[in-house]
Amino acid sequence: MAVATTQPHDRDRSSDAVGPADLAVWDREFAALGERMAPLFYRSESQGHAVQYLRGLLSPLQRKNGWTIAEFAGEKEPKALQRFLNLTPWSADLMRDLVCDYAMERFADSRGVLIADPTGFEKKGIKSAGVQRQYSGTLGRVDNCQIGTFLAYANRRGDRVLIDRELYLPKDSWAIDFERRREAGIPDEVAFRTRPQQVQAMIERAMAAGVPFSWFVADEEFGQNRTLRRYLEAEGIAYCMAVAKSTDVNTAGITTNPDSPTRLDNLASHLRPGDFSRRACGIGAKGFRTYDWAVITGRGGRQYIVRRTIADGELAYFHCYNPRGESLSELVAVIGLRWPIEECFEAAKQQAGLDNYQVRKYDAWYRHITLSMLALAFLTAMTRTPQKRALQTRAVTAGRERGGSRP
């Protein structure tokens, strides 16, 4: 089976070349995954189409949609695969649960991190569910696009996968336009939810599924949301989220005037040079991402992290809930773990066709996106195969060297 296997975070790793033994493992794993998907479908033909589609997402095709995947599978026309995405009865949510279970069996880590972030999908026309002119940080502009909200999982070994997703439906143009909703196949029971509300629902699902994690991290859109912060604190979930410099901080226990909140940048202006310490929060394309960091301690386990860029002194701010009293080094490491979701998006779009879909219906979006997430999880698992084999070989060799000729 021809698959693309390099993820962005693997580029800095030393790894052995893929050999025949690895390909055999991949084929067995893919066959087992196909069997695992089988109970999700009523008919064997549908199961076959699911395997065809997943294989196409894993293929080296430049574009991965119903047309190109059908051609790759040897079909004369794409109607069967289009019907599989749009009309065949099967649950994308059950497939989502399978993705999560598959990922946790391979990457679960008690020190794992949940990461939330939206990504944009540029689209033409006005018929695709949730599409409108809106700002997308992915595109870096206001454009005609769909926005998906995603939850990723990163362990401390460097693996990262997407485990949940929601399509954002803008309130005025979609959520309350019932004629437009029916045309796009949006069920009546689907209500408007903000992206922070979508993230809360995904965290609840992760907890219900027993996903082990020690932190939740997100960017400013979610860090600014008080309702989400209160939910996390009520559940005892430690978090590190970016916030704006204008964020009001309750100063009780911080300053001599606890009766009125003050802006976070005002507090930061009183930090002394000795309050900062230099630490790296991960490795980027240009090497270690090193900054100066300082902590402002609040109350009730809350802390506020100030990050200063070494080159120009630019400041960034993070609101943290640290009920376990973890060290600054741990907080810095966790803040650095927000970036893996960007790597997930890059890998899923480049290698698993995340943004290549040509569907308009609500259910079809979820089906394509979820199968792409499964493809990414499979690729992430399989990229470990050469490393695991090499480590096993070296361990056996070392044992023989220590023990002479004993097997």
Side-chain angles (χ1 to χ4, degrees):
M1 178 176 65
V3 296
T5 60
T6 302
Q7 291 201 48
H9 67 279
D10 288 322
R11 292 171 186 159
D12 295 325
R13 294 178 181 170
S14 59
S15 61
D16 296 328
V18 175
D22 299 309
L23 294 175
V25 170
W26 294 355
D27 282 338
R28 289 196 299 271
E29 182 76 8
F30 185 81
L33 189 55
E35 293 177 2
R36 189 167 180 170
M37 290 191 295
L40 273 62
F41 303 99
Y42 297 106
R43 302 176 60 187
S44 59
E45 291 87 346
S46 301
Q47 178 195 358
H49 291 145
V51 171
Q52 280 184 324
Y53 202 83
L54 184 62
R55 189 185 297 274
L57 292 173
L58 291 165
S59 75
L61 291 169
Q62 185 174 3
R63 296 286 297 174
K64 301 174 182 181
N65 54 53
W67 287 86
T68 59
I69 292 175
E71 185 177 28
F72 178 80
E75 300 287 344
K76 294 181 179 179
E77 56 183 8
K79 288 183 179 180
L81 288 181
Q82 290 173 337
R83 185 168 59 250
F84 168 73
L85 286 181
N86 287 284
L87 299 173
T88 301
W90 62 278
S91 171
D93 285 348
L94 291 179
M95 185 68 75
R96 173 205 63 206
D97 295 343
L98 186 155
V99 172
C100 185
D101 291 344
Y102 180 85
M104 290 306 104
E105 288 165 8
R106 287 151 181 81
F107 311 124
D109 179 0
S110 61
R111 299 294 288 171
V113 175
L114 292 179
I115 317 158
D117 204 31
T119 191
F121 302 93
E122 186 176 2
K123 290 294 168 184
K124 296 180 180 179
I126 60 172
K127 299 294 185 180
S128 299
V131 70
Q132 74 164 28
R133 287 190 60 81
Q134 54 191 325
Y135 177 77
S136 165
T138 309
L139 303 176
R141 62 184 185 273
V142 174
D143 208 333
N144 201 60
C145 62
Q146 295 169 300
I147 302 291
T149 309
F150 287 82
L151 190 69
Y153 184 83
N155 64 24
R156 301 301 177 101
R157 298 187 301 274
D159 303 301
R160 56 285 318 268
V161 287
L162 298 171
I163 62 170
D164 209 341
R165 73 291 175 263
E166 289 289 351
L167 177 62
Y168 175 67
L169 297 176
K171 185 174 184 179
D172 294 331
S173 61
W174 278 97
I176 60 176
D177 189 335
F178 290 98
E179 182 177 349
R180 195 179 190 192
R181 287 167 58 104
R182 283 191 291 271
E183 187 177 358
I186 301 173
D188 291 342
E189 62 270 19
V190 175
F192 170 75
R193 286 189 295 183
T194 65
R195 289 195 283 268
Q197 287 172 333
Q198 290 179 324
V199 166
Q200 179 175 328
M202 290 190 282
I203 294 172
E204 290 170 350
R205 288 197 290 263
M207 294 174 65
V211 173
F213 66 97
S214 58
W215 292 91
F216 170 76
V217 296
D219 64 11
E220 190 173 311
E221 175 180 356
F222 304 104
Q224 291 291 95
N225 190 275
R226 292 184 180 181
T227 302
L228 179 59
R229 294 202 309 261
R230 288 169 181 163
Y231 160 76
L232 294 168
E233 292 174 13
E235 293 293 331
I237 298 173
Y239 64 74
C240 289
M241 294 189 281
V243 291
K245 64 182 181 180
S246 59
T247 300
D248 283 335
V249 176
N250 188 317
T251 59
I254 303 177
T255 71
T256 57
N257 182 21
D259 295 327
S260 61
T262 187
R263 284 169 51 119
L264 186 50
D265 57 348
N266 288 337
L267 289 177
S269 67
H270 293 92
L271 292 169
R272 300 181 300 272
D275 293 328
F276 286 89
S277 58
R278 188 159 295 181
R279 287 174 167 81
C281 62
I283 302 177
K286 299 180 180 179
F288 285 99
R289 297 194 296 267
T290 304
Y291 302 89
D292 292 330
W293 306 80
V295 180
I296 300 171
T297 300
R299 62 177 181 173
R302 299 182 189 90
Q303 292 176 309
Y304 306 94
I305 305 298
V306 182
R307 186 189 71 192
R308 185 174 66 194
T309 303
I310 296 171
D312 57 14
E314 182 181 0
L315 300 181
Y317 304 89
F318 301 87
H319 187 159
C320 303
Y321 177 60
N322 185 12
R324 299 184 297 270
E326 301 273 10
S327 66
L328 174 60
S329 294
E330 172 69 0
L331 295 173
V332 168
V334 169
I335 289 170
L337 284 171
R338 196 197 75 80
W339 295 105
I341 195 168
E342 302 292 348
E343 297 171 352
C344 282
F345 291 148
E346 182 181 356
K349 290 178 180 181
Q350 291 183 358
Q351 301 174 33
L354 186 74
D355 60 345
N356 291 171
Y357 58 90
Q358 293 180 332
V359 296
R360 294 178 175 176
K361 300 291 186 181
Y362 181 82
D363 283 349
W365 184 90
Y366 277 93
R367 290 172 172 186
H368 171 89
I369 293 296
T370 308
L371 285 168
S372 178
M373 289 163 47
L374 181 58
L376 178 66
F378 177 86
L379 287 174
T380 304
M382 293 304 96
T383 53
R384 283 299 191 187
T385 305
Q387 286 94 341
K388 287 181 179 178
R389 180 170 53 81
L391 288 171
Q392 291 168 352
T393 300
R394 284 195 288 270
V396 171
T397 301
R400 288 174 177 171
E401 290 175 350
R402 288 193 300 270
S405 60
R406 289 179 297 171

